[in-house]
Amino acid sequence: MNLSNNKTFWLMLMPSVFVLLWSTGFIGAKYGLPYAEPFTFLFYRLITVSFLLYLILQIMGQSFPTDKQLIGHVAVSGLLVHAGYLGGVFAAIKIGMPSGLAALIVGLQPLLTAVAASFFLREIITRLQWIGLFLGLLGVAFVLSERFTPNTAHFDITAIFWATLALFSISLGTVYHKRFCTGMELISGTLIQYLAATVVLGAIAFTTETMVVTWNLSFILALAWLVLGLSLGAISLLMLLIKQGAAARVASLFYLVPPVTALEAFILFDEKLGVFALCGMALTVIGVALVVVKKRPL
């Protein structure tokens, strides 16, 4: 009975822990990116976590899956969830986009996931959910319009492209993983995902960046947190939650990330959002809530 209660408690706690861990990824990027180019930073992060997962795999005596089709699907999932998402977020923040704004744009993931699910998983989107979709997009427009005024537009417009790439990658990656990869083993499957992303991001770093890193305490601590807290902690929770058949509910958790990240950025970096932007954030939260309300798991 106690074991059952403990299991229920941890299942209930997992979403909250996931949101908290996931939100700190933007903060970790903000701390580490001054000392390394974005794809170089990600290359070191992914190759480190791949090595750690390989050691864990060996210690546990587990082996790689032999189903080549499953391996291929898991690799594609890794490219979307890790290479596309992380590459987009890191590039946007490196260019100068505030971490709170990057989190807000990527926080639209539940909206895009609902659309992707309607096409790929044949889910029906209700009228209320369409209203939520447009409210969420309107909220982002409010935030971006404030950011592009002469007094507040402090980042290159290409940062919008990278943040949007991250949004589409994590949204499609979540649906793709639910559709094709729920049969994977957590450790070996996650290792395959990271190896695929390491190859792609490493190739981009080697061909487009200097690969120079300023190794200091701030960079090492940021790298360590992103490896342990995000790549091992948050990603493992994400895969577990999706495997439980809760892809739609997992998607709904992402709307909590922007407010949490904005609070963290306010405390750590003194980043501020004006009244108009805060209203836009509220609209986005309401819109996402309307999209996910009463949705059945994918």
Side-chain angles (χ1 to χ4, degrees):
M1 187 67 177
N2 288 334
L3 290 176
S4 177
N5 289 338
N6 288 337
K7 183 178 180 180
T8 301
F9 172 75
W10 285 113
L11 288 175
M12 293 176 59
L13 190 62
M14 279 171 57
S16 299
V17 175
F18 167 75
V19 170
L20 181 60
L21 290 176
W22 194 270
S23 67
T24 62
F26 299 93
I27 306 301
K30 186 85 170 180
Y31 271 116
L33 282 171
Y35 310 108
E37 293 159 298
F39 296 108
T40 299
F41 191 178
L42 285 172
F43 172 72
Y44 279 105
R45 171 181 172 178
L46 295 180
I47 200 170
T48 301
V49 73
S50 296
F51 175 72
L52 292 176
L53 283 173
Y54 176 76
L55 289 180
I56 294 172
L57 201 66
Q58 294 301 306
I59 292 173
M60 298 183 66
Q62 296 183 9
S63 58
F64 275 88
T66 56
D67 186 338
K68 293 182 180 180
Q69 186 176 24
L70 178 60
I71 292 175
H73 285 312
V74 171
V76 172
S77 172
L79 291 177
L80 289 170
V81 174
H82 303 305
Y85 169 72
L86 293 176
V89 169
F90 273 55
I93 293 177
K94 180 66 175 182
I95 292 172
M97 177 176 283
S99 57
L101 180 56
L104 178 64
I105 293 175
V106 180
L108 286 174
Q109 187 249 2
L111 301 170
L112 193 57
T113 297
V115 176
S118 70
F119 284 102
F120 299 113
L121 300 178
R122 306 299 182 187
E123 278 209 344
I124 297 175
I125 300 179
T126 66
R127 182 178 302 178
L128 185 64
Q129 291 170 326
W130 279 116
I131 292 173
L133 174 63
F134 287 110
L135 277 179
L137 293 176
L138 182 63
V140 172
F142 277 13
V143 176
L144 294 183
S145 65
E146 181 175 284
R147 293 291 174 175
F148 285 134
T149 61
N151 294 327
T152 56
H154 297 307
F155 59 89
D156 194 303
I157 194 170
T158 55
I160 298 296
F161 163 78
W162 287 110
T164 303
L165 173 65
L167 168 62
F168 275 84
S169 295
I170 189 64
S171 302
L172 295 177
T174 300
V175 174
Y176 190 94
H177 185 89
K178 174 59 185 174
R179 177 66 177 84
F180 297 108
C181 306
T182 52
M184 78 174 200
E185 293 293 332
L186 180 61
I187 298 176
S188 60
T190 305
L191 176 56
I192 293 171
Q193 288 182 323
Y194 281 129
L195 287 175
T198 300
V199 171
V200 171
L201 293 179
I204 295 174
F206 275 109
T207 55
T208 66
E209 298 179 345
T210 64
M211 299 290 290
V212 175
V213 176
T214 302
W215 292 95
N216 55 34
L217 183 60
S218 294
F219 179 78
I220 293 173
L221 290 177
L223 179 63
W225 175 250
L226 291 176
V227 167
L228 299 176
L230 273 294
S231 294
L232 291 180
I235 293 296
S236 296
L237 287 174
L238 178 62
M239 298 300 127
L240 285 172
L241 289 167
I242 295 176
K243 190 172 184 178
Q244 291 174 355
R249 291 196 298 273
V250 172
S252 71
L253 296 175
F254 282 84
Y255 86 87
L256 296 173
V257 173
V260 174
T261 303
L263 178 61
E264 293 167 347
F266 171 77
I267 295 172
L268 297 173
F269 306 121
D270 198 29
E271 288 188 8
K272 293 182 175 64
L273 292 174
V275 174
F276 202 53
L278 290 173
C279 290
M281 179 179 289
L283 274 179
T284 301
V285 171
I286 293 171
V288 175
L290 290 176
V291 170
V292 302
V293 66
K294 296 183 180 179
K295 279 179 61 67
R296 294 180 179 179
L298 302 182

